Amino acid sequence: MAVKIFSGRATQYLAEKIAYAYGAPLGVINYQQFSDGEMSPYIAESVRGHDVFIIQSTFPPADNLMELLLTVDAAKRASSHTVNVIIPYFGYARQDRKDKPRVSIAAKMIANLLSAAGADRIMTCDLHADQIQGFFDIPVDHLDGSYIFVPYLKSLKLKDIMFATPDVGGIKRARNFAKFFDADLAVCDKYRKEANKVASMRLIGEVEGKDVILVDDLVDTAGTICKAAGLLKENGAKSVRAVCTHAVLSGKAYENVEGSALEELVVTDTIPLKQESSKIKVISVSDLFAKAIRIIHTNESISSLFIKL
């Protein structure tokens, strides 16, 4: 059984790097597009009896998700031995519960769709909520962005390092970093009146003279993280950086980051940047996913890909 790596069109830039790091060519998928926008992916090589890995993040537009589902179905019907779906950024993960009446649980619905399409395994990185793994009835390999962030933060050699979370929901994630570096933790407690708009924020913890690292799984409009950075600087922080796995960066995000108190926003390439910014540094997850593919193919444990935080 050979490994065959394919990519959806939205994540071609990352899939090429993953395939190169793994040491295998990226497989070819041809697309037929009807005049009304309907698409039909065609896998242009035999996958019979092989372990197939299909890479596609599910950020907007929704066509990215539909393209992924069709490709999974095509691989399954082509008699692949296994169909492993790599979703570097699992879109719709923020809709993981009913937080008000008459709303969908989109993360669960997408889990059902992927299973119904024929996926045998899901591989992703830094889900918005860990419990989303339980939405699937197939194996889920939930990789941790700390594997690439920790070495980078070590390289900065910050003497007075401290970690902070821009909201209460991210305490566990930030605490893990703080524990690894034997550092203190601060919390920015925010209140929202509506999505993407922070009404108020207060700081819990002492940050005077500290090099503070804000930790979050994603950055969208950057309103929260920039407000938190400003609050930390107002309270005496020596410097403020942020590490966020998924660079959604919508709306006025780039403008917000450029005008913020952040010295640096460190993100990964699970989502392509829409524009360049002097304050945004991108670290690739390609090596992490390439190692995971190799380990899964040889039926080994993926524990080696986790830093014990």
Side-chain angles (χ1 to χ4, degrees), residues 27-72:
V28 177
I29 299 179
N30 296 324
Y31 294 90
Q32 179 183 358
Q33 195 93 16
F34 295 95
S35 62
D36 64 350
E38 180 182 330
M39 72 187 82
S40 175
Y42 161 63
I43 299 174
E45 59 191 83
S46 175
V47 294
R48 184 178 295 273
H50 296 306
D51 287 333
V52 172
F53 290 82
I54 301 169
I55 305 168
Q56 177 88 306
S57 286
T58 54
F59 52 81
D63 277 357
N64 292 337
L65 173 60
M66 191 65 192
E67 183 181 294
L68 175 60
L69 294 170
L70 292 172
T71 307
V72 170

Side-chain angles (χ1 to χ4, degrees), residues 9 31 41 51 79 122 132 176 209 221 243 260 266 284:
R9 289 175 289 187
Y31 294 90
D51 287 333
S79 301
I122 302 295
I132 290 173
N176 287 338
T221 62
V243 293
S260 73
V266 187
S284 183

Side-chain angles (χ1 to χ4, degrees), residues 145-286:
S146 62
Y147 186 86
I148 57 175
F149 286 135
V150 165
Y152 176 73
L153 293 176
K154 279 184 175 179
S155 72
L156 296 177
K157 297 180 180 178
L158 300 172
K159 292 182 179 179
D160 300 303
I161 195 169
M162 181 177 183
F163 291 86
T165 174
D167 59 57
V168 175
I171 289 177
K172 179 185 174 184
R173 186 178 290 108
R175 184 185 286 127
N176 287 338
F177 276 89
K179 190 190 298 184
F180 181 86
F181 283 89
D182 193 23
D184 291 329
L185 174 68
V187 178
C188 298
D189 183 22
K190 71 179 178 185
Y191 166 69
R192 291 188 193 271
K193 285 187 176 178
E194 56 184 286
N196 296 124
K197 291 187 179 180
V198 179
S200 64
M201 182 178 285
R202 63 192 178 108
L203 178 65
I204 304 170
E206 296 294 329
V207 298
E208 183 84 35
K210 297 288 187 178
D211 295 304
V212 183
I213 310 294
L214 283 160
V215 181
D216 211 348
D217 64 307
L218 64 84
V219 52
D220 191 349
T221 62
T224 298
I225 210 130
C226 291
K227 193 175 183 71
L231 184 62
L232 291 164
K233 287 292 282 186
E234 288 170 13
N235 282 269
K238 185 170 28 172
S239 68
V240 183
R241 291 175 173 82
V243 293
C244 301
T245 306
H246 308 297
V248 178
L249 297 175
S250 64
K252 295 184 178 180
Y254 289 91
E255 182 181 324
N256 291 338
V257 170
E258 286 294 335
S260 73
L262 286 170
E263 288 199 9
E264 186 178 44
L265 171 61
V266 187
V267 299
T268 74
D269 54 356
T270 58
I271 301 173
L273 293 186
K274 301 177 184 73
Q275 64 184 70
E276 294 296 319
S277 170
S278 60
K279 285 193 174 185
I280 300 176
K281 177 178 179 61
V282 180
I283 305 177
S284 183
V285 293
S286 56

Side-chain angles (χ1 to χ4, degrees), residues 71 81-83 92 129 234:
T71 307
H81 179 250
T82 60
V83 180
Y92 295 91
E234 288 170 13

